[in-house]
């Protein structure tokens, strides 16, 4: 029987449809990542592997693989996996595009709205018993409607965010490696150079995958170019941002606020400098976290593994 190893505890009922065909084993913890030693040992025996974005799968990890045919990563991003090293060993890597697009766009917009309208700050204010009166500028924030959103990375999620922005009557700019003429026609979005996007957007939204080229593309220079009233939103990967520069841009009033779902080092702890600022909303990397979407993502990973181990092409190879 072929072996599948899953690096995190997932519900038994997800595995059940595959349990007669494969010997399936999983890491027994739901909230704690697998350690590298165990992962190396399990990789040595497995034919199929289901990984999370918290599992680094590099050259060294893969050197112990002898039967491994497929790695299904439970994420659309796959920067935790050394694709070249996998390819060299003829190991197919799959991800979970499409199924999380709308859910992640919803979260992006939720973060944008809550940062602009100071929702989290307002909740704290009420909880702390500070609401004693109504006053004209009490927790007054920034408008969203008719403002300009600049989407950096016009992939599937970028387009889904653009649709939501259109519903809010926003003017939509984007920057991407390549022009998306179909999106320009269908969604009424306008392509601009990165610098122009930074200079003219009220909301700058980062949705690019993390690669060596995008590393810290949002650094001191980028924040300096943004409007002082700008709000920066990141729902991609923390490594696309120089957090130290972001902190200084906020403290020095170079930008107004930010909403972050991802960080350079995850998880962040409660003494993280950005958490000390009022104009910052921080979420624990929950972009695709609806129950339905996470369930669909798990099923897609298992199907991809099953397809490859049955000699078929996977549904969503990277
Ligand atoms: C989550 O960050 C993903 O890449 O799906
Ligand atoms: C991810 O699905 C993207 O292309 O934005």
């Amino acid at each position: 029987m072929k072996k599948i190893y899953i690096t995190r505890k997932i519900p038994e009922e997800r595995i059940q449809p595959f349990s007669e065909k494969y010997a399936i084993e999983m890491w027994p913890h739901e909230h704690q990542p697998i350690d590298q030693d165990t992962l190396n040992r399990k990789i040595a025996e497995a034919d199929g592997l289901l990984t999370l974005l918290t599992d680094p799968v590099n050259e060294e990890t893969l050197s112990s693989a002898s039967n491994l045919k497929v790695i299904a990563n439970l994420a659309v991003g796959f920067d935790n996996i050394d694709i070249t090293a996998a390819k060299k060993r003829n190991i197919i890597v799959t991800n979970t595009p499409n199924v999380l697009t709308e859910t992640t766009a919803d979260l992006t917009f939720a973060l944008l709205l809550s940062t602009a309208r100071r929702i989290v700050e307002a909740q704290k204010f009420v909880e702390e018993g500070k609401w004693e009166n109504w006053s004209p500028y009490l927790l007054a924030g920034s408008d969203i409607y008719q403002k300009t959103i600049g989407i950096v990375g016009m992939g599937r999620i970028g387009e889904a965010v653009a649709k939501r922005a259109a519903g809010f009557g926003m003017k939509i700019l984007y920057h991407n490696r390549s022009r998306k003429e179909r999106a320009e026609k269908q969604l009424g979005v306008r392509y601009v150079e990165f610098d122009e996007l930074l200079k003219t957007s009220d909301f700058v939204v980062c949705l690019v995958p993390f690669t060596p080229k995008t590393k810290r593309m949002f650094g001191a220079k980028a924040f300096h170019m943004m409007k002082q009233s700008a709000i920066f939103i990141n729902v991609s990967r923390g490594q696309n941002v120089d957090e130290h520069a972001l902190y200084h841009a906020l403290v020095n009033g170079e930008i107004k606020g930010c909403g972050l779902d991802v960080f350079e080092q995850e998880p962040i702890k409660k003494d993280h400098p950005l958490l000390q600022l009022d104009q910052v909303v921080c979420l624990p990397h929950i972009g695709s976290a609806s129950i339905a979407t996470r369930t669909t993502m798990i099923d897609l990973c298992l199907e991809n593994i099953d397809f490859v181990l049955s000699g078929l092409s996977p549904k969503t190879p990277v």
Side-chain angles (χ1 to χ4, degrees):
M1 227 188 214
K2 288 183 178 160
K3 289 183 181 162
I4 298 175
Y5 190 78
I6 302 171
T7 66
R8 199 66 69 91
K9 185 175 157 70
I10 59 173
E12 285 292 341
E13 72 241 40
R14 307 272 44 96
I15 295 169
Q16 230 251 315
F18 303 94
S19 59
E20 292 197 347
K21 199 165 166 191
Y22 301 103
I24 305 178
E25 198 193 340
M26 51 183 169
W27 176 247
H29 309 287
E30 190 184 341
H31 299 293
Q32 180 198 325
I34 190 168
D35 60 89
Q36 196 73 35
D37 278 353
T38 310
L39 181 58
N40 290 354
R41 253 187 307 116
K42 295 300 176 184
I43 276 193
E45 302 167 357
D47 299 278
L49 184 70
L50 192 160
T51 50
L52 272 56
L53 53 84
T54 46
D55 307 322
V57 179
N58 49 34
E59 180 72 51
E60 193 201 323
T61 323
L62 288 175
S63 65
S64 60
S66 45
N67 300 326
L68 192 63
K69 299 282 180 302
V70 54
I71 302 170
N73 205 40
L74 188 75
V76 65
F78 45 87
D79 45 278
N80 57 307
I81 299 178
D82 183 339
I83 300 295
T84 315
K87 209 170 195 171
K88 219 167 65 189
R89 293 179 170 78
N90 290 319
I91 298 167
I92 293 172
V93 179
T94 68
N95 65 341
T96 63
N98 310 317
V99 297
L100 48 60
T101 301
E102 301 296 335
T103 301
T104 308
D106 281 348
L107 190 278
T108 307
F109 235 82
L111 192 50
L112 187 153
L113 292 168
S114 34
T115 310
R117 293 301 300 272
R118 305 172 61 182
I119 303 294
V120 177
E121 234 181 302
Q123 161 84 11
K124 256 190 235 155
F125 182 84
V126 177
E127 270 176 6
E128 288 169 3
K130 292 182 180 160
W131 188 22
E132 288 174 353
N133 220 317
W134 186 92
S135 53
Y137 293 102
L138 175 64
L139 289 156
S142 307
D143 275 320
I144 292 125
Y145 80 103
Q146 293 182 348
K147 292 296 171 97
T148 299
I149 185 172
I151 299 172
V152 182
M154 194 52 121
R156 290 163 288 240
I157 299 169
E159 288 193 23
V161 168
K163 282 183 198 149
R164 285 157 180 75
F168 277 80
M170 299 179 91
K171 189 174 150 196
I172 310 165
L173 306 177
Y174 80 98
H175 181 74
N176 198 58
R177 273 175 312 180
S178 54
R179 284 281 290 267
K180 292 285 191 80
E181 273 153 38
R182 182 195 42 78
E184 289 175 23
K185 284 203 195 83
Q186 284 176 358
L187 304 171
V189 300
R190 188 161 72 84
Y191 176 87
V192 288
E193 290 303 326
F194 186 52
D195 290 1
E196 188 187 339
L197 182 144
L198 298 176
K199 284 180 199 156
T200 53
S201 298
D202 299 299
F203 296 90
V204 176
V205 180
C206 174
L207 286 167
V208 292
F210 174 61
T211 67
K213 282 206 182 111
T214 64
K215 186 171 180 171
R216 297 193 161 176
M217 68 186 285
F218 290 92
K221 192 164 151 253
F223 295 122
H224 193 71
M225 271 188 216
M226 292 184 197
K227 294 185 181 182
Q228 289 187 339
S229 57
I231 288 176
F232 174 67
I233 304 292
N234 188 13
V235 187
S236 59
R237 284 292 180 273
Q239 295 93 323
N240 290 327
V241 175
D242 179 345
E243 263 168 30
H244 190 73
L246 173 58
Y247 176 82
H248 285 282
L250 288 161
V251 169
N252 298 332
E254 290 181 33
I255 68 169
K256 187 160 186 190
C258 74
L260 307 171
D261 186 42
V262 290
F263 300 87
E264 284 189 272
Q265 287 282 340
E266 295 178 6
I268 59 167
K269 298 284 177 261
K270 62 189 219 185
D271 60 356
H272 191 287
L274 284 166
L275 276 180
Q276 317 312 314
L277 305 176
D278 281 340
Q279 65 273 42
V280 176
V281 177
C282 295
L283 304 179
H285 203 150
I286 55 170
S288 61
S290 72
I291 295 166
T293 292
R294 286 286 165 84
T295 304
T296 307
M297 289 164 67
I298 290 171
D299 290 349
L300 177 57
C301 286
L302 291 167
E303 279 164 25
N304 274 322
I305 294 174
D306 179 38
F307 276 34
V308 174
L309 297 186
S310 309
L312 304 170
S313 298
K315 292 171 99 170
T316 51
V318 307

